Amino acid sequence: MIELAIKRPTLVVALFAVLSIVGMLSYFQLNTELLPKFSAPIVTITTIYPGASPSEVENGVTKPIEDAISTLESIRFLRSISIDNFSIVTVALTFEADPDLRIQEAQRKLNAITSELPPGARTPTISKISSDDWPIMNIGATSSLSGTAFYDLMETRVLPALTRLDGVGQINLLGGQKRVVQVNVRLDKLEQNRISILQVLQAIRKANLEFPTGKLKNDQEQIQLRLAGTFQSLEELEQLIIFKSPLGTQVQLYEVAEILDTQEDVEDLTRVNGLPAIGLSVLKQSDANAVDVSTRIQAQLKELEGQFEAENLQFSIATNTTDFTIEAVNSVFKDLILAIILVAVVMLFFLHSFRNALIVMISIPASLVVTIIVMNVMGYTINVLSLLAMSLVIGILVDDSIVVLENIFRHIEMGKSSKQAALDGSKEIFLTALSITLVLVVVFIPLIVSSGIVAIIMQQFAVIVAVSILMSLFVSYTIAPALAARLPQQENTSTLGQWIFGGFEKGLQWLAEQYAQSLKASLRYPVLVLLLALGLLAASALLITEGFIGTAFLSIGDRGEFIIQLELPKSATFSETNRTAKQVEAYLFEQLEVQGVFTLAGRQTGFLSGGRVSSNLAEVSVKLVDKNQRALSTSLYAIQTKKALAERLPGVKIKSSEASFFGSAGDVPIQVIVSGTDYAIVQQYADSLLTAVKMMEGTIESELSTGTGTPQIDIQMNRPIMEDNGLDMQIVGYTLAVAFGGNSDAKYREGGREYDIQIQLDAFDRTSREDIANLTFLNKKGQQLKLSQFASITPSTGPALLQRYNRVPAIIVQSQSIGRPIGDIGADITAWLANHPPPPGLTIDFGGDLKRQAESFASLGLIFGASLLFIYLILVALYDSYLDPFAVLFSIPVALIGALLALALVMESLNIFSIIGIIMLNGLVAKNAILLVDFVNQLQQEGKSKKEALVEAGLIRLRPILMTAISIIFGMIPIALASGAASEWKNGLAWTLIGGLTSSTLLTLYLVPAVYLLLNRLKTNRKI
């Protein structure tokens, strides 16, 4: 390959020209996303059970679904939530499981039990957690139209115009008021005419049907027959005969009910910056470019504003995750460009030549072009992690070319011609260069082939780094020798350049002399060098144990968005909740730091629970000005806002926390799940744990997941009396559900559209317990009975939310954190649990970020160990020895000294990104050690003594080791110093690499020779 590149350079030019063209075409085909596409192994089953309390939902829906789903393969745990009207069962699968296959199995199992669910329960819906399930935009629409006219405009004109755009997957309307036909049944009229509300419902259903009834055929034609039995007008509905007595007396609908063409009751609404609006939540298609979809949406919104100018239709974009995506991508692009410039400057100083620097630097675009082709083939996207991978490898990509070029120059200095030196120098260093490349690549193999949450997040990152590094090796043995063989050996340099480069070279020579002297001295006491390194390593470990470095799962940076969630007492009406939300808005509008406000009244968003819908809930999303224009971080501002609102809104439960990476309300980070069969014991232990968590440093908004009780009215049946009077539980339950919950199965058609016919008792008859008691029932004999005749009606309090974990009752102790890493709080909780073990029968498990952190750290620990093993095996193959590789392996841990010190100095936590950096250091540190050991072995084969070979190898390899280390460090500096929400989350990774490379480079130059000497003494002693 080397000879071919030197003799046929046109072949190399043609090859990389083709790759460059294909790479450019591939780049324009890549989608732009915030994060890599992923599908978490989590399946959710959501079931709507209208009018049911949490206990009814749990017994009637949640438990049967759990029983059916529990036989699925590959389940890690089951978690369920039962609230008013909703059941949400979350199935966490093993990371190796295929969610799509499990969904198919779950669907079959659910189909088998659907008939066993309560009559009022809707069909369960199954979905999986995917990166495409989060909305990319939340938009508010306002108009001079109001009520149903505005909603119809949005549903019939605006929604179709937006959903037909390329890449748009789904758009959900939030708020607004639909048109509805209300049939408000009067209780006194029912009693007077001796009929029940079920008869009203059944009469409307039977009279509002449409049938295909066959075909009319003859010799000339065939005509389809259709029975148009639906209501053609509201007058026809009013005149409907509900009941006809044996004597011929008729009762029509208008005689027992008021029929209104109106709008549905307001249950939730949306406001944008205080203005009433209908919200639009935009989801993209899985294969669409989020940025392109956002651009098309915004262009279409402007067009719609012009089209409906008479209706004064206006759109306001409340949240747009692609803004953060663009900011993040642009930030990493800037980091990448700055890294290339800084690495070029380093190359120029070390190589003293634009020509030589060009030879080395050409490996960067050549390697990245092929990487882009691989990204396109594998379906990857341009996202913050893929670009971060490219930024991080900028300094690494020049390593192989530096090593090859340095060796070529060494052969030129021996008096060889350029072509011969390029051939001999490249061949001589081939095995070493191959080894240092492979030790960098193999550290990512465990991450690429592993499963788990870390693999979901970082797999694309690992593939891109590995491919880029492999391509840099290919470039260093094709382009670099070809150019070195043809460019002149001497290059004219200006006087200023000679002065600058000459001064730098003198400084480097002085450093080499000092290093040689200190290395000779250290080789007299190799054991002392080893002990010193181990002492520094132990001291750096104290930074973690003494709390200078905290542990966390993931840091998202300060993106200037936080979410306020309001919960009023359970008895609060929607109008009370709406007034409270307006008070929150009024406070926020007074704050100069607030840039935008998006309000949801009647609902809250959620990470895994699918959100909550209730008249006593509200959520306010707040967008702040840029962090440079405010004194407080987003997290502190959110806490300050909560305190201020708590003083203004006594009795209202307020949560305030930063938005998740996707701009929505995130999962509570600190969760301790207490589960057991005895709910009373579970409650008692959870209360004790909650008291302890509240006292721990850094915890805020600590609470139990159950919340406060919900006021309810219990109806207890006297079964003997009920049965004696010819009534059964199904008739009683269904009558109550229609009377007080309403039924909208029947539809009214007009103008090609369908509207609900809402059948319910009149609002006047649904205000007190007496109305429940006076509800009339009709038995099979035609006798009329009131509910109070066969049931007791008593007020009580029921749970607001019931949870189960692995099919047993559970309570979650949950908390937010502020000013302290989550991992440190988790350690305090673990210590408390150890000192206060749960009673027999109780199980403790962690959820939220605590669980994700534990899983990811365990996975990263295995990856770290596997990477060390792979490096060792490569070195065994390189040195044909099981002992010599330890001279390299002993140098790897010293990288932790600088890595941990850097994290402590910049106050970064030990999270998955910084641990990935430590794993990368395995290969980077081993590379420098290989350069030294390989050349020492070569010099010993030439007849040099061990100490002479160690000193000479150190002097000769000092330049390439410093050059590669400094180029990588300079490539990391733009990432480490980048600011802004789109950059802060990756600073820790960059500082880990900078600190680790600095300490390992300095210590490797002394530690590797010392360990090499000790290992040789050991081998000599064994032979003796």
Side-chain angles (χ1 to χ4, degrees):
M1 181 176 65
I2 299 168
E3 289 182 12
L4 188 63
I6 293 173
K7 294 177 180 178
R8 297 279 303 275
T10 52
L11 182 63
V12 176
V13 172
L15 173 63
F16 279 94
V18 170
L19 290 175
S20 298
I21 293 171
V22 176
M24 291 177 63
L25 293 174
S26 298
Y27 174 79
F28 290 111
Q29 293 176 9
L30 294 176
N31 288 337
T32 303
E33 303 286 351
L34 178 61
L35 290 174
K37 291 183 181 179
F38 69 87
S39 180
I42 297 175
V43 176
T44 59
I45 303 166
T46 306
T47 310
I48 301 175
Y49 187 7
S53 67
S55 57
E56 291 170 333
V57 171
E58 182 180 76
N59 292 317
V61 177
T62 302
K63 287 182 179 180
I65 290 177
E66 284 181 344
D67 293 340
I69 297 300
S70 62
T71 56
L72 277 178
E73 295 180 4
S74 309
I75 292 180
R76 285 192 297 142
F77 63 84
L78 275 173
R79 187 168 164 180
S80 65
I81 300 174
S82 301
I83 57 178
D84 288 333
N85 311 316
F86 281 96
S87 165
I88 303 167
V89 178
T90 302
V91 185
L93 305 169
T94 59
F95 291 100
E96 297 80 12
D98 184 342
D100 294 321
L101 290 177
R102 297 290 89 83
I103 284 178
Q104 293 176 14
E105 291 180 28
Q107 188 64 67
R108 288 195 295 269
K109 293 178 183 295
L110 288 176
N111 291 340
I113 66 157
T114 300
S115 59
E116 301 174 14
L117 297 179
R122 309 263 175 90
T123 303
T125 58
I126 306 178
S127 61
K128 63 179 179 180
I129 301 297
S130 170
S131 57
D132 295 319
D133 292 335
W134 280 276
I136 61 170
M137 301 176 75
N138 283 314
I139 305 164
T142 59
S143 170
S144 56
L145 298 175
S146 61
T148 59
F150 183 25
Y151 191 90
D152 285 348
L153 173 68
M154 293 296 297
E155 189 176 36
T156 60
R157 306 294 296 278
V158 173
L159 205 58
L162 294 174
T163 51
R164 67 168 175 255
L165 296 175
D166 289 342
V168 175
Q170 180 180 342
I171 299 181
N172 299 317
L173 289 181
L174 304 175
Q177 292 175 286
K178 298 180 183 179
R179 180 186 175 187
V180 65
V181 176
Q182 286 186 351
V183 179
N184 296 325
V185 183
R186 292 298 303 270
L187 185 59
D188 57 341
K189 300 295 184 181
L190 291 179
E191 294 179 8
Q192 181 181 335
N193 290 281
R194 302 187 66 80
I195 59 177
S196 73
I197 196 170
L198 287 187
Q199 287 177 290
V200 176
L201 173 63
Q202 291 163 1
I204 294 175
R205 280 180 172 176
K206 289 178 181 179
N208 193 42
L209 298 174
E210 191 173 64
F211 286 101
T213 54
K215 300 175 183 177
L216 180 66
K217 296 182 180 179
N218 55 41
D219 294 338
Q220 289 78 32
E221 60 184 357
Q222 176 176 292
I223 302 174
Q224 186 76 34
L225 297 180
R226 182 177 66 87
L227 172 63
T230 56
F231 297 119
Q232 301 300 308
S233 66
L234 294 182
E235 289 74 16
E236 189 175 345
L237 177 61
E238 291 176 343
Q239 300 299 322
L240 176 67
I241 297 174
I242 299 299
F243 175 75
K244 181 184 287 187
S245 70
L247 300 176
T249 305
Q250 296 179 346
V251 178
Q252 293 177 294
L253 182 59
Y254 76 90
E255 296 182 71
V256 296
E258 182 182 18
I259 294 87
L260 299 175
D261 186 355
T262 182
Q263 58 195 25
E264 66 179 4
D265 295 336
V266 179
E267 294 181 351
D268 67 285
L269 57 78
T270 305
R271 278 192 298 274
V272 177
N273 294 327
L275 298 176
I278 292 180
L280 295 163
S281 180
V282 182
L283 283 74
K284 71 176 189 66
Q285 294 174 354
S286 60
D287 58 346
N289 187 323
V291 175
D292 289 346
V293 172
S294 173
T295 303
R296 293 189 197 105
I297 289 282
Q298 292 180 64
Q300 186 64 39
L301 293 179
K302 290 182 179 179
E303 185 176 327
L304 288 168
E305 286 178 344
Q307 182 180 348
F308 297 102
E309 187 175 359
E311 289 81 5
N312 195 26
L313 182 63
Q314 298 290 326
F315 295 99
S316 176
I317 298 176
T319 59
N320 186 352
T321 60
T322 61
D323 290 341
F324 184 65
T325 302
I326 294 170
E327 181 188 353
V329 169
N330 289 342
S331 170
V332 182
F333 263 124
K334 291 176 184 176
D335 296 342
L336 193 151
I337 293 169
L338 283 173
I340 292 175
I341 294 172
L342 289 174
V343 170
V345 171
V346 172
M347 294 298 99
L348 195 59
F349 270 85
F350 272 95
L351 300 175
H352 314 324
S353 163
F354 287 101
R355 170 182 63 86
N356 297 335
L358 177 64
I359 294 175
V360 173
M361 292 301 295
I362 203 169
S363 63
I364 295 176
S367 301
L368 293 183
V369 160
V370 178
T371 304
I372 290 172
I373 297 173
V374 174
M375 288 174 61
N376 188 37
V377 170
M378 298 190 70
Y380 290 171
T381 61
I382 297 174
N383 56 69
V384 291
L385 287 180
S386 60
L387 288 175
L388 174 62
M390 293 183 190
S391 299
L392 289 176
V393 298
I394 293 302
I396 301 173
L397 294 180
V398 300
D399 281 7
D400 291 330
S401 294
I402 288 172
V403 172
V404 172
L405 202 60
E406 277 287 321
N407 215 48
I408 291 173
F409 288 160
R410 194 168 68 86
H411 282 263
I412 288 175
E413 290 172 354
M414 296 178 186
K416 297 180 181 179
S417 66
S418 296
K419 287 189 177 180
Q420 192 61 42
L423 183 60
D424 294 345
S426 300
K427 283 184 176 181
E428 182 184 66
I429 202 74
F430 176 76
L431 194 58
T432 302
L434 177 63
S435 300
I436 65 175
T437 299
L438 290 180
V439 296
L440 278 169
V441 172
V442 295
V443 299
F444 291 103
I445 289 178
L447 182 57
I448 293 171
V449 301
S450 67
S451 60
I453 190 167
V454 175
I456 290 173
I457 297 174
M458 303 298 294
Q459 211 162 49
Q460 192 173 129
F461 171 91
V463 169
I464 291 172
V465 172
V467 170
S468 301
I469 293 172
L470 286 173
M471 279 311 305
S472 73
L473 177 67
F474 180 68
V475 170
S476 68
Y477 279 97
T478 51
I479 296 180
L483 290 176
R486 275 163 177 75
L487 293 176
Q489 294 185 15
Q490 299 296 326
E491 180 182 4
N492 295 326
T493 308
S494 65
T495 305
L496 177 62
Q498 291 176 352
W499 180 77
I500 294 174
F501 296 146
F504 181 82
E505 188 63 29
K506 287 180 182 178
L508 198 57
Q509 288 176 356
W510 176 85
L511 182 64
E513 292 171 2
Q514 300 302 312
Y515 168 63
Q517 293 177 10
S518 58
L519 178 60
K520 289 177 183 177
S522 69
L523 290 177
R524 298 192 194 104
Y525 311 102
V527 175
L528 185 61
V529 174
L530 180 60
L531 291 175
L532 178 62
L534 293 175
L536 290 173
L537 184 61
S540 64
L542 293 175
L543 295 172
I544 298 177
T545 58
E546 296 300 317
F548 292 98
I549 300 175
T551 58
F553 171 65
L554 188 62
S555 173
I556 65 171
D558 187 342
R559 61 184 294 173
E561 295 179 16
F562 70 96
I563 294 176
I564 303 169
Q565 292 186 322
L566 308 173
E567 183 174 349
L568 278 69
K570 304 299 179 183
S571 58
T573 63
F574 175 79
S575 59
E576 289 178 292
T577 303
N578 191 30
R579 281 197 301 271
T580 304
K582 286 183 176 180
Q583 289 178 271
V584 173
E585 291 171 338
Y587 169 79
L588 293 171
F589 293 145
E590 295 172 359
Q591 312 308 309
L592 298 177
E593 297 86 353
V594 173
Q595 194 175 55
V597 176
F598 183 75
T599 304
L600 294 173
R603 68 170 64 226
Q604 290 178 354
T605 60
F607 181 62
L608 292 179
S609 65
R612 298 170 62 189
V613 179
S614 179
S615 62
N616 69 315
L617 301 178
E619 181 173 288
V620 182
S621 300
V622 185
K623 175 70 175 175
L624 299 176
V625 296
D626 189 82
K627 63 177 297 186
N628 298 323
Q629 301 175 30
R630 48 187 159 88
L632 297 177
S633 66
T634 301
S635 58
L636 289 176
Y637 197 93
I639 298 303
Q640 184 187 70
T641 302
K642 178 192 171 180
K643 290 180 179 178
L645 291 174
E647 295 176 0
R648 296 187 174 205
L649 304 171
V652 178
K653 184 178 177 182
I654 303 172
K655 294 181 182 179
S656 182
S657 60
E658 283 190 87
S660 70
F661 216 101
F662 298 93
S664 61
D667 200 12
V668 180
I670 300 170
Q671 298 182 18
V672 186
I673 305 168
V674 184
S675 58
T677 54
D678 191 327
Y679 192 81
I681 298 177
V682 170
Q683 178 77 55
Q684 183 179 2
Y685 190 79
D687 288 336
S688 301
L689 178 56
L690 176 63
T691 302
V693 170
K694 286 181 177 180
M695 300 296 292
M696 293 176 185
E697 181 186 354
T699 59
I700 57 170
E701 298 182 356
S702 304
E703 62 180 3
L704 298 181
S705 59
T706 51
T708 57
T710 302
Q712 64 183 31
I713 294 175
D714 287 340
I715 302 172
Q716 296 291 336
M717 297 295 162
N718 188 319
R719 292 180 182 272
I721 297 177
M722 180 179 67
E723 292 169 0
D724 288 344
N725 285 278
L727 295 173
D728 59 44
M729 193 64 72
Q730 186 174 5
I731 292 176
V732 173
Y734 203 24
T735 301
L736 282 164
V738 174
F740 294 96
N743 182 285
S744 57
D745 292 340
K747 307 297 178 183
Y748 173 68
R749 294 182 183 178
E750 183 177 288
R753 298 193 61 203
E754 281 190 348
Y755 303 98
D756 290 343
I757 299 178
Q758 180 76 22
I759 304 166
Q760 194 174 21
L761 278 182
D762 188 85
F764 179 79
D765 295 322
R766 294 183 282 116
T767 59
S768 65
R769 266 195 295 159
E770 287 71 22
D771 292 330
I772 302 174
N774 292 329
L775 182 64
T776 56
F777 297 81
L778 207 65
N779 63 14
K780 297 175 183 178
K781 299 178 181 179
Q783 297 172 325
Q784 211 171 38
L785 293 94
K786 291 187 177 182
L787 183 63
S788 58
Q789 293 178 251
F790 56 88
S792 62
I793 303 162
T794 56
S796 67
T797 301
L801 177 147
L802 293 174
Q803 289 181 304
R804 289 164 62 82
Y805 187 78
N806 289 333
R807 303 170 66 193
V808 295
I811 295 176
I812 300 177
V813 179
Q814 54 194 26
S815 177
Q816 299 285 349
S817 67
I818 184 71
R820 192 178 180 211
I822 290 171
D824 293 358
I825 299 173
D828 289 350
I829 295 174
T830 302
W832 187 91
L833 292 172
N835 294 326
H836 303 82
L842 257 61
T843 302
I844 305 297
D845 200 356
F846 289 104
D849 279 358
L850 287 178
K851 188 177 186 68
R852 288 188 281 270
Q853 178 182 316
E855 291 175 344
S856 61
F857 279 23
S859 176
L860 287 169
L862 291 174
I863 291 169
F864 182 86
S867 67
L868 288 178
L869 176 61
F870 289 165
I871 290 173
Y872 172 74
L873 294 175
I874 288 174
L875 295 176
V876 167
L878 176 64
Y879 300 133
D880 191 24
S881 168
Y882 294 105
L883 193 60
D884 288 349
F886 285 99
V888 174
L889 292 179
F890 265 91
S891 67
I892 292 177
V894 298
L896 287 172
I897 299 170
L900 296 177
L901 181 60
L903 289 175
L905 290 174
V906 298
M907 293 184 289
E908 286 281 349
S909 62
L910 194 64
N911 53 53
I912 62 171
F913 283 116
S914 52
I915 294 176
I916 289 291
I918 290 172
I919 293 173
M920 287 182 69
L921 285 170
N922 286 351
L924 294 173
V925 175
K927 172 185 66 64
N928 288 336
I930 289 171
L931 283 174
L932 276 175
V933 173
D934 189 63
F935 200 58
V936 169
N937 290 337
Q938 183 180 328
L939 291 173
Q940 281 191 286
Q941 290 172 3
E942 295 173 1
K944 301 282 179 73
S945 68
K946 290 183 180 63
K947 288 190 177 181
E948 287 177 341
L950 287 168
V951 174
E952 186 175 342
L955 282 171
I956 293 175
R957 292 304 191 211
L958 179 64
R959 179 187 291 269
I961 287 175
L962 289 178
M963 199 187 316
T964 55
I966 294 175
S967 67
I968 295 172
I969 290 172
F970 271 60
M972 303 294 170
I973 287 175
I975 302 173
L977 297 180
S979 61
S983 304
E984 290 178 351
W985 56 273
K986 59 186 185 292
N987 294 156
L989 172 57
W991 281 116
T992 301
L993 291 171
I994 291 173
L997 273 174
T998 302
S999 67
S1000 64
T1001 301
L1002 295 175
L1003 292 173
T1004 295
L1005 291 169
Y1006 296 94
L1007 183 62
V1008 170
V1011 174
Y1012 185 89
L1013 201 60
L1014 291 172
L1015 289 173
N1016 274 272
R1017 289 178 183 175
L1018 179 63
K1019 286 194 291 186
T1020 302
N1021 293 334
R1022 287 178 63 189
K1023 289 177 183 177
I1024 293 171

